[in-house]
């Protein structure tokens, strides 16, 4: 009998902890009671299919609320993705949640699609030396200039993973690539010349396939030695040893690709 009573007491405590966590969700989301009940049921259901407890999921939901995510479906999708990302990567739930919300915001991606963003970060961390947090950091750093150029989140994340594989830090790589994206839009004719294309064709390629345009540009530098590349980059507005170093490595990587 005592063991059974102990079990009941533990169950009551778990239920109490979960209710307390859901109060946290209500505080950050301002959810009505009926919606809160629906979300709570979703967390309980999700916890039966993953290693996380319903309370742990509710804590992620509370983080979602702090990040401005609302609605049962959005919070459930966000929580599910963050919990899975945290279980397979170096992210804590809090860091993973903040990173995904930031990227979604920068690329104007609906938070319901958080799952796709989580998959991109996870897959790239599996095929490169970069960790998911590093790729997310680089993605955020390059997001402004990159999305203006027309690059998508997966393309920018892939560039981030490639830079990390080359031993380039997030700060240096993010700055150098953002500078290049911006200059490419300003000096399209000069970049087109290096790519061996007419300005009109290069412009069209940039609009249709920004990543392809970048590859064409780095392709155009393959025959040069590093002094020629450095001089050229300086003419194209990408000065400084750091920026030159990043792009030299990018040219080297495309040579071996």
């Amino acid at each position: 009998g005592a063991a059974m009573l102990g079990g009941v007491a533990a169950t009551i405590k778990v239920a109490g902890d979960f209710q307390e966590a859901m109060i946290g969700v209500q505080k950050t989301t301002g959810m009505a009671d009926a919606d809160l009940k629906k979300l709570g049921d979703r967390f309980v259901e999700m916890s039966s299919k993953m290693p996380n407890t319903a309370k742990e999921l509710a804590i992620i939901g509370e983080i979602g609320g702090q990040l401005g995510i609302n609605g049962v479906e959005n919070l459930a999708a966000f929580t599910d993705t963050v919990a899975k990302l945290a279980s397979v990567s170096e992210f804590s739930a809090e860091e993973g949640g903040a990173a995904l919300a930031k990227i979604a915001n920068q690329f104007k991606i609906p938070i319901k699609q958080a799952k796709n963003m989580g998959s991109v970060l996870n897959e790239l961390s599996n095929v490169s030396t970069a960790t998911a947090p590093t790729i997310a950091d680089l993605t955020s750093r390059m997001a402004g200039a990159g999305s203006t150029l027309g690059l998508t989140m997966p393309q920018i994340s892939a560039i981030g993973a490639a830079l990390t594989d080359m031993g380039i830090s997030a700060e240096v790589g993010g700055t150098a690539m953002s500078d290049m994206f911006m200059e490419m839009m300003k000096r399209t004719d000069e970049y087109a010349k290096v790519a061996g294309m007419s300005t009109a064709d290069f412009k069209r390629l940039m609009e249709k396939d920004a990543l392809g345009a970048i590859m064409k540009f780095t392709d155009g530098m393959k025959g040069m030695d590093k002094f020629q590349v450095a001089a050229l980059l300086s003419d194209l507005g990408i000065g400084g040893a750091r920026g030159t170093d990043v792009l030299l490595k990018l040219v080297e990587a495309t040579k071996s690709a």
Side-chain angles (χ1 to χ4, degrees):
M4 190 176 161
L5 280 176
V8 170
T11 305
I12 291 168
K13 183 179 179 321
V14 167
D17 286 349
F18 175 57
Q19 289 314 321
E20 208 174 295
M22 288 307 291
I23 291 166
V25 175
Q26 190 163 31
K27 271 188 194 152
T28 64
T29 60
M31 257 185 171
D33 290 350
D35 279 345
L36 193 72
K37 167 93 175 66
K38 273 185 206 162
L39 186 62
D41 290 346
R42 289 288 286 275
F43 288 158
V44 171
E45 185 197 332
M46 279 155 64
S47 70
S48 67
K49 297 173 189 157
M50 55 205 311
N52 308 72
T53 64
K55 179 194 171 185
E56 286 165 349
L57 296 174
I59 290 166
I60 298 173
E62 184 181 345
I63 295 166
Q66 285 166 351
L67 296 167
I69 296 161
N70 49 40
V72 174
E73 290 307 320
N74 287 337
L75 281 159
F78 174 78
T79 302
D80 183 52
T81 300
V82 171
K84 284 173 181 162
L85 187 61
S87 70
V88 296
S89 73
E90 293 74 11
F91 267 128
S92 69
E94 205 161 331
E95 293 162 347
L100 285 178
K102 188 177 180 185
I103 292 169
N105 201 5
Q106 287 172 310
F107 287 92
K108 311 272 182 286
I109 298 170
I111 204 69
K112 275 185 190 168
Q113 292 171 24
K115 187 178 171 189
N116 304 348
M117 294 186 289
S119 300
V120 168
L121 296 177
N122 184 34
E123 280 165 27
L124 285 169
S125 69
N126 288 339
V127 297
S128 72
T129 56
T131 63
T134 306
I135 299 167
D137 184 15
L138 263 158
T139 304
S140 273
R141 287 172 189 270
M142 295 188 280
S147 57
T148 309
L149 185 62
L151 291 165
T152 62
M153 179 261 168
Q155 288 175 325
I156 292 180
S157 296
I159 292 171
L163 292 174
T164 308
D165 274 346
M166 295 171 212
I168 296 162
S169 76
E171 198 183 339
V172 172
T175 306
M177 293 308 290
S178 292
D179 287 350
M180 186 179 103
F181 298 154
M182 294 312 286
E183 291 300 332
M184 217 164 169
M185 284 181 276
K186 279 193 267 179
R187 308 171 183 231
T188 310
D189 51 342
E190 295 172 59
Y191 276 78
K193 203 185 281 179
V194 178
M197 296 173 77
S198 72
T199 305
D201 284 347
F202 191 67
K203 221 176 203 155
R204 264 197 297 275
L205 183 61
M206 272 170 64
E207 282 163 15
K208 202 174 73 201
D209 176 14
L211 190 60
I214 293 166
M215 299 314 275
K216 269 282 194 200
F217 170 69
T218 53
D219 266 356
M221 294 189 285
K222 277 183 182 175
M224 304 177 186
D225 65 34
K226 58 180 171 192
F227 300 108
Q228 288 170 307
V229 171
L232 174 73
L233 292 175
S234 159
D235 288 345
L236 292 174
I238 304 166
R242 285 174 150 195
T244 309
D245 183 49
V246 171
L247 282 159
L248 273 170
K249 284 183 174 164
L250 201 59
V251 173
E252 283 304 314
T254 51
K255 274 183 189 173
S256 56

